[in-house]
């Protein structure tokens, strides 16, 4: 298989949209894109994502989990791996857990009404306003972490080791 870059197939003077499609599951079996660059590896399997909030009501992390995993609960200690620091387990206890994953289309059909543009804008503004000042500041903002569950991390390691 080969990949052709956007700059090779379009005129650089014309606008183009660079997109990447990352395959994470084939016929119910999780799969992984292998590469030397860890940031470009895919995270395998069907996933869902949660936003974790602290006691002050600020989101402090987004957490990816396998779709079949039970939802994390407020007040429950979670063992997680932060992307970019997968070598170490971190323990967190969210005060509030918000599921973020929504399915709007299934089998080519709309299964939930799409929000209007003003609703999307309001949702984005509210989400930004909830971020802590450390994440929102323009000068040297604190990076907002995204993490994976221990179970998702184990699946990633199993697939990576199985391919060698």
């Amino acid at each position: 298989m080969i990949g052709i870059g956007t700059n090779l197939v379009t005129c650089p003077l014309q606008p183009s949209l660079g997109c990447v499609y990352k395959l994470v599951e084939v016929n119910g079996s999780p799969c992984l894109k292998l590469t030397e660059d860890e940031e470009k590896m895919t995270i395998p399997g069907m996933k869902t994502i949660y936003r974790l909030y602290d006691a002050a009501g600020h989101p402090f992390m987004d957490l990816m989990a396998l779709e079949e995993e039970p939802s994390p609960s407020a007040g429950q200690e979670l063992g997680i791996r932060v992307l970019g620091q997968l070598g170490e387990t971190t323990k967190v206890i969210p005060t509030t857990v918000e599921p973020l994953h929504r399915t709007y289309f299934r089998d080519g059909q709309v299964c939930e009404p799409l929000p209007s543009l003003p609703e999307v804008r309001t949702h984005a503004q509210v989400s930004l306003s909830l971020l802590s000042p450390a994440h929102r500041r323009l000068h040297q903002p604190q990076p907002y972490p995204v993490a994976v569950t221990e179970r998702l991390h184990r699946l990633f390691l199993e697939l990576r080791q199985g391919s060698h």
Side-chain angles (χ1 to χ4, degrees), residues 63-125:
L63 177 66
M64 284 189 281
L66 289 168
E67 199 173 56
E68 68 266 11
E69 287 187 75
S71 300
S73 301
Q76 168 192 7
E77 183 177 82
L78 304 168
I80 54 96
R81 304 279 181 133
V82 176
L83 296 182
Q85 304 166 17
L86 291 175
E88 56 191 69
T89 301
T90 304
K91 302 283 187 191
V92 296
I93 302 175
T95 302
T96 307
V97 176
E98 176 188 10
L100 296 182
H101 185 239
R102 304 281 293 270
T103 301
Y104 289 99
F105 296 94
R106 186 176 307 283
D107 299 324
Q109 301 297 313
V110 176
C111 58
E112 184 173 329
L114 297 172
S116 68
L117 191 54
E119 289 169 327
V120 171
R121 181 181 20 225
T122 299
H123 177 76
Q125 289 170 335

Side-chain angles (χ1 to χ4, degrees), residues 24-37:
V24 296
E25 191 169 280
V26 176
N27 297 327
S29 295
C31 60
L32 176 69
K33 173 189 173 186
L34 291 173
T35 175
E36 295 290 322
D37 187 351

Side-chain angles (χ1 to χ4, degrees), residues 20-25 31 33 35 39-43:
V20 176
Y21 178 81
K22 303 248 179 164
L23 191 63
V24 296
E25 191 169 280
C31 60
K33 173 189 173 186
T35 175
E39 289 182 3
K40 291 188 173 187
M41 281 191 194
T42 55
I43 299 170

